[in-house]
Amino acid sequence: MQQTNNPDLRAAADKVLARLVGDPTGETRLREDQWRAIEALVAHKRRALVVQRTGWGKSAVYFVATSLLRERGSGPTVIVSPLLALMRNQVEAAARAGIRARSINSSNTEEWDTVQAEVEAGEVDVLLVSPERLNNPDFRDNVLPKLSAATGLLVVDEAHCISDWGHDFRPDYRRLRTMLAELPPGVPVLATTATANSRVTADVAEQLGTGADTDALVLRGPLDRESLSLGVLQLPDAAHRLAWLADHLDELPGSGIIYTLTVAAAEEVTAYLRQCGHPVASYTGRTENAERMQAEEDLLANRVKALVATSALGMGFDKPDLGFVVHLGSPSSPIAYYQQVGRAGRGVEHAEVLLLPGREDEAIWKYFASVAFPPEEQVRRTLDTLAQAGRPLSLPALEPLVDLRRTRLEAMLKVLDVDGAVRRVKGGWTTTGQPWVYEAERYAWVARQRATEQQAMREYATTKSCRMEFLRLQLDDEEAAPCGRCDNCAGGRFGDGVSTGALDAARGELGRPGAEVEPRKMWPTGLAAVGVNLKGRIAQGDLVSSGRALGRLSDIGWGNRLRPMLGDRTAPDGPVPDDVADAVVSVLADWAKGPGGWASGEADASARPVGVVTVASHGRPVLIESLGRRIAEVGRMPLLGSVAYTQEAAGERMSQTNSAQRVRALHQALTVPPELAAALAAADGPVLIVDDLSDTGWTLAVAGRLLRRAGAQGVYPLVLAIQA
């Protein structure tokens, strides 16, 4: 369809843009493709997919279009937006253009009724909704139909999340098909993203229905970011990477973001850099909402040099003068990497982007890949369980019946919901009875594509060609060409040298052993359904104490030492290595002398452990027995014995999937042998219980309960690692 010339509409659009960007002169003008998208939405009520680089001005398209549509009597714009920080940015940006924006998300539940009333009263121009809201039963059944009927423009921000092939697939986004189907004829739709290759672009178009619309407009621009200078530094180990940050952080322009792959790494890096005198803050999925907002404000105001963040910050932050992005560890996808580095250099002429890959990256990729869509057998079991229940089942009620961990179960149900096999209702989930096909070939194809993306990131780190061109080719940018700015084109701007002082400090920080093991205090829900008569709070007389671990498997310090031993089931069993045993002894000494420790003077003598008990192991019996013996020898305590497996459970692997099933299996499998029970009865004090790895914490809880009931006056857990 031929675009018509709308000079009056173009002039009005430019005026709104000037207000949006705070230009009192009114001289700011839309980019040509911004105008093409706005004209398509406002004048022709078309559907459009805009794939443009971060910082190009995609949000300007929907805010300007909203203002023009509202002036013409259209209903409010509904923006489906993925992250809270992004919503906060959008609300503030809209206000600059005189656009009244409100949001409905998990952080403002107390405002939902007020916001919905304001929308119905016509007092809201833009409503930002998280994708998860779309399948909330009350919102879906009572709010969404009225909202769909009144919507003047539907915007899907960060639309790559709708695609199975995207790096951040979110099943809730696919709920948009329902909303699209219920939109009145002639309501324009805009989808935007900065990170979509041709495959993802086609998939998003199909998901949104634009693929079947021959009049849809697709605007895809070049993805070069002329302000970004990309580089890679190959450093020997985690200590060198931390030391490099400490030595060179002040040389990086302005303030920025340091991305890590795990929460534990973010916390380690933050603690170390603060000790080195750098003003930094941590930003992860564990960070409380109020602390997140404060961290965002501190970075916006340049009160901190950097946020040390996980992907929780990925799409959700807008700071035009962000001067650098450093990755301490490589993301598994070039699409994800481009998305995150695109936070930098949006409003400045030069920004530094550095990747510091680590040897632990691949193990972390492997872990996240392990939580993919479940095998068909588990999916069918879930559908059968829902069908047999004859009533809605909540996640806590369903979890113990299907042997899936709750987060994975919920993600699976959302996919099944989109596929029409189940439905979320008040009280939980029900089956629809509709036929459903397990698309094994599609799931396998997705897995292969992700493996291909991982290989691309390996190649990015080692390529001798232009790095920006490499990323643009991965995103199918037909205009990709050497940038002339990256370290391969123009030479590296940073050396790999580190000072002795910073390296010693980093080694000291990463080599410091010890992490707290929080005890389980409540039994999982649903145990009665699997034949275990335990519920509620664990009785005081059955509780284990707070314990200690040498480290977390996700640490970049001890995690790198422990991961080959414990993170791979194929690793050979053998006696505990001397360096690991010595570090465990150090953890014990610090624990004993710490606040409330049995050697601190704050506890009475009866708090000191009087014996060591190990936990029987199917996979690493030699490792655990040797660890228990070493601890007993150093602590001059007897090795009292092992919590054993019953004869029926010998050789069986315990359920690793969800809490209720694991407790059921452990409850039936573990036992205190008579000789250990006699030793506990004779012991006058608490005992140390020693195991290799604590994943869910239930082995320690169940074994500790047995020891307490067999006569132990207290139980202190000690493990090599926490799976976190």
Side-chain angles (χ1 to χ4, degrees):
M1 172 176 161
Q2 181 67 38
Q3 293 286 322
T4 58
N5 190 23
N6 291 290
D8 292 340
L9 185 64
R10 176 67 186 260
D14 284 334
K15 285 183 180 178
V16 177
L17 178 67
R19 293 201 305 269
L20 184 67
V21 300
D23 175 14
T25 68
E27 296 178 358
T28 303
R29 295 291 181 267
L30 290 159
R31 300 175 189 270
E32 195 56 36
D33 274 359
Q34 286 176 318
W35 162 240
R36 288 183 64 198
I38 291 166
E39 185 184 29
L41 297 168
V42 177
H44 307 293
K45 305 297 178 66
R46 295 171 64 184
R47 292 184 175 184
L49 173 59
V50 175
V51 183
Q52 299 283 358
R53 66 183 183 273
T54 303
W56 177 84
K58 295 181 290 294
S59 61
V61 172
Y62 50 74
F63 282 137
V64 172
T66 293
S67 181
L68 298 176
L69 286 166
R70 292 290 277 167
E71 288 175 1
R72 287 156 177 74
S74 294
T77 291
V78 176
I79 302 176
V80 181
S81 184
L83 290 180
L84 302 185
L86 188 60
M87 287 191 182
R88 289 192 284 270
N89 291 154
Q90 303 288 42
V91 170
E92 294 167 3
R96 292 196 294 270
I99 297 171
R100 297 161 296 180
R102 299 298 302 271
S103 67
I104 292 179
N105 58 67
S106 60
S107 72
N108 69 341
T109 53
E110 71 285 353
E111 299 177 12
W112 289 357
D113 290 342
T114 301
V115 172
Q116 288 170 197
E118 291 174 349
V119 172
E120 291 180 9
E123 298 171 359
V124 174
D125 299 314
V126 171
L127 178 65
L128 293 108
V129 181
S130 62
E132 288 72 21
R133 284 290 94 209
L134 299 177
N135 203 31
N136 172 273
D138 183 64
F139 187 88
R140 182 195 64 212
D141 297 337
N142 300 319
V143 179
L144 194 56
K146 291 184 285 187
L147 195 58
S148 298
T151 296
L153 168 65
L154 175 64
V155 177
V156 185
D157 205 7
E158 307 295 351
H160 58 274
C161 295
I162 206 172
S163 171
D164 286 339
W165 313 109
H167 76 275
D168 194 21
F169 170 56
R170 293 165 73 138
D172 288 302
Y173 255 67
R174 294 178 68 181
R175 275 285 127 207
L176 288 163
R177 279 176 173 245
T178 303
M179 189 170 183
L180 282 162
E182 295 174 354
L183 286 177
V187 174
V189 177
L190 172 66
T192 68
T193 181
T195 49
N197 55 21
S198 297
R199 185 179 65 249
V200 173
T201 299
D203 192 34
V204 169
E206 191 277 330
Q207 297 286 353
L208 292 174
T210 56
D213 185 349
T214 56
D215 195 33
L217 176 66
V218 177
L219 295 172
R220 184 182 174 92
L223 299 179
D224 188 22
R225 292 288 308 282
E226 295 180 0
S227 62
L228 300 185
S229 296
L230 305 181
V232 175
L233 284 175
Q234 300 282 0
L235 298 170
D237 53 34
H240 278 81
R241 284 181 285 145
L242 277 191
W244 190 94
L245 281 175
D247 282 344
H248 298 280
L249 188 57
D250 286 338
E251 299 172 20
L252 297 172
S255 54
I257 301 170
I258 301 169
Y259 279 109
T260 65
L261 299 186
T262 67
V263 172
E267 293 172 350
E268 281 182 307
V269 174
T270 301
Y272 168 74
L273 290 177
R274 283 178 174 170
Q275 289 173 12
C276 294
H278 294 291
V280 297
S282 180
Y283 190 111
T284 73
R286 284 188 199 155
T287 308
E288 294 292 336
N289 188 54
E291 293 178 14
R292 284 195 187 195
M293 293 181 68
Q294 184 61 56
E296 292 167 20
E297 291 171 5
D298 287 345
L299 186 59
L300 285 169
N302 297 314
R303 289 190 290 266
V304 293
K305 180 65 177 178
L307 293 188
V308 184
T310 62
S311 59
L313 190 68
M315 294 175 293
F317 192 76
D318 183 14
K319 178 179 167 61
D321 63 339
L322 199 75
F324 65 88
V325 169
V326 176
H327 277 78
L328 200 68
S330 176
S332 62
S333 159
I335 299 176
Y337 186 62
Y338 180 89
Q339 174 78 55
Q340 291 175 350
V341 302
R343 296 293 103 202
R346 299 176 63 173
V348 293
E349 292 184 0
H350 175 76
E352 292 288 348
V353 171
L354 288 169
L355 172 63
L356 280 60
R359 63 177 181 173
E360 70 272 11
D361 298 350
E362 304 245 354
I364 294 169
W365 297 350
K366 183 177 180 181
Y367 170 76
F368 285 120
S370 71
V371 295
F373 198 69
E376 183 173 7
E377 178 187 355
Q378 288 182 306
V379 182
R380 296 291 180 193
R381 187 184 309 138
T382 303
L383 291 172
D384 291 344
T385 301
L386 287 172
Q388 293 164 9
R391 59 181 176 83
L393 291 179
S394 65
L395 283 172
L398 184 58
E399 181 184 12
L401 302 176
V402 299
D403 201 15
L404 278 171
R405 194 166 292 182
R406 191 168 306 180
T407 52
R408 197 176 183 200
L409 172 62
E410 183 176 22
M412 181 191 76
L413 287 170
K414 287 178 177 180
V415 172
L416 292 176
D417 190 356
V418 171
D419 290 345
V422 303
R423 181 174 172 82
R424 187 181 175 193
V425 298
K426 286 188 176 179
W429 296 83
T430 62
T431 181
T432 63
Q434 297 296 316
W436 178 79
V437 176
Y438 187 88
E439 299 180 80
E441 185 175 340
R442 181 166 70 91
Y443 302 138
W445 178 248
V446 171
R448 288 195 296 272
Q449 295 307 310
R450 288 176 178 160
T452 299
E453 291 179 341
Q454 291 175 3
Q455 179 58 29
M457 284 309 297
R458 297 183 190 100
E459 293 172 2
Y460 173 82
T462 58
T463 184
K464 302 301 182 184
S465 62
C466 173
R467 298 195 194 275
M468 180 59 79
E469 182 182 28
F470 184 97
L471 290 178
R472 293 175 69 183
L473 288 171
Q474 288 295 316
L475 289 160
D476 296 322
D477 183 352
E478 295 179 356
E479 299 181 34
C483 69
R485 304 179 306 274
C486 71
D487 56 351
N488 286 338
C489 287
R493 288 165 301 284
F494 298 95
D496 58 6
V498 298
S499 67
T500 301
L503 184 58
D504 289 344
R507 284 173 173 160
E509 176 66 24
L510 296 178
R512 183 177 298 115
E516 186 171 3
V517 178
E518 289 285 347
R520 286 286 189 171
K521 297 180 180 179
M522 298 284 293
W523 293 114
T525 55
L527 283 176
V530 293
V532 179
N533 188 27
L534 294 171
K535 64 179 181 179
R537 188 174 295 278
I538 298 176
Q540 186 65 35
D542 292 341
L543 277 173
V544 300
S545 300
S546 174
R548 293 294 186 274
L550 178 53
R552 298 179 178 87
L553 290 189
S554 58
D555 288 345
I556 56 176
W558 273 103
N560 281 338
R561 177 69 178 93
L562 296 169
R563 203 177 297 112
M565 293 172 52
L566 308 177
D568 185 352
R569 289 179 179 174
T570 64
D573 186 25
V576 61
D578 288 343
D579 65 321
V580 173
D582 291 344
V584 170
V585 171
S586 176
V587 170
L588 275 170
D590 290 342
W591 186 10
K593 297 173 184 176
W598 53 84
S600 65
E602 300 176 28
D604 58 47
S606 64
R608 187 187 189 281
V610 297
V612 177
V613 177
T614 58
V615 178
S617 171
H618 290 142
R620 304 183 190 92
V622 176
L623 175 68
I624 294 175
E625 196 277 337
S626 66
L627 176 62
R629 190 167 301 282
R630 289 285 291 271
I631 292 170
E633 290 172 356
V634 172
R636 298 179 181 177
M637 297 178 285
L639 182 61
L640 301 176
S642 292
V643 177
Y645 286 106
T646 62
Q647 187 173 355
E648 294 75 16
E652 291 187 8
R653 184 170 293 280
M654 294 294 100
S655 168
Q656 297 285 343
T657 51
N658 70 48
S659 291
Q661 288 288 349
R662 183 154 181 78
V663 168
R664 178 197 62 78
L666 291 165
H667 185 70
Q668 295 173 350
L670 294 181
T671 185
V672 174
E675 58 274 19
L676 175 57
L680 291 170
D684 187 22
V687 297
L688 282 170
I689 183 171
V690 176
D691 203 356
D692 55 350
L693 180 67
S694 178
D695 182 0
T696 63
W698 288 119
T699 298
L700 296 173
V702 173
R705 175 177 181 265
L706 290 173
L707 293 175
R708 295 294 303 269
R709 295 201 161 203
Q713 296 178 17
V715 176
Y716 296 124
L718 178 68
V719 297
L720 289 178
I722 304 169
Q723 177 80 61

